[in-house]
């Protein structure tokens, strides 16, 4: 069962203020059907797995239990390999770094 923005807000409130170790960037966007699409960039698969085990899954499971949601499966994970990254939020490459 994909989640909507209201359920998402309940989940992230359980994380607290401490950043997830190893999380570089997280984006959650509403899709046309009202469900959310998540894109995360992690420093490593190990730090991602640790965050899911220690913080994310406990928050998700507690929220689902509170809302009486059962039989919810894990979302599909697609590992992507970066080909290009650019934009105003991305620092320009250091020209002296290769020198």
């Amino acid at each position: 069962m994909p989640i909507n923005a209201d359920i998402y807000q309940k989940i992230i409130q359980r994380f607290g203020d401490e950043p997830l170790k190893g999380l570089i960037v997280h984006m959650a966007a509403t899709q046309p059907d009202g469900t959310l699409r998540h894109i995360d960039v992690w420093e490593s698969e190990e730090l991602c797995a640790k965050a899911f085990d220690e913080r994310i899954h406990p928050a998700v499971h507690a929220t689902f239990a509170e809302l009486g949601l059962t039989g919810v499966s894990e979302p599909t994970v697609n590992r992507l390999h970066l080909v290009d990254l650019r934009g105003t939020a991305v620092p320009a490459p250091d020209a002296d770094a290769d020198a």
Side-chain angles (χ1 to χ4, degrees):
M1 174 182 128
I3 66 169
N4 61 30
D6 292 333
I7 296 171
Y8 175 79
Q9 289 300 320
K10 292 179 184 300
I11 292 168
I12 63 171
Q13 286 175 357
R14 293 181 185 274
F15 288 174
D17 293 331
E18 183 182 342
L20 296 171
K21 185 175 180 183
L23 181 62
I24 296 170
V25 66
H26 168 78
M27 295 178 287
T30 305
Q31 301 184 104
D33 67 356
T35 61
L36 297 184
R37 172 73 185 237
H38 304 93
I39 299 174
D40 295 331
V41 178
W42 293 88
E43 290 179 23
S44 70
E45 285 191 43
E46 293 77 21
L47 288 172
C48 174
K50 184 174 182 176
F52 269 84
D53 289 344
E54 295 178 1
R55 306 251 322 263
I56 297 169
H57 282 148
V60 170
H61 295 157
T63 302
F64 285 1
E66 177 184 296
L67 297 173
L69 300 174
T70 59
V72 180
S73 61
E74 285 288 319
T76 301
V77 174
N78 296 302
R79 286 174 176 76
L80 306 174
H81 299 279
L82 186 64
V83 172
D84 186 32
L85 179 66
R86 63 180 74 210
T88 57
V90 179
D94 185 357
D96 295 331
D98 294 330

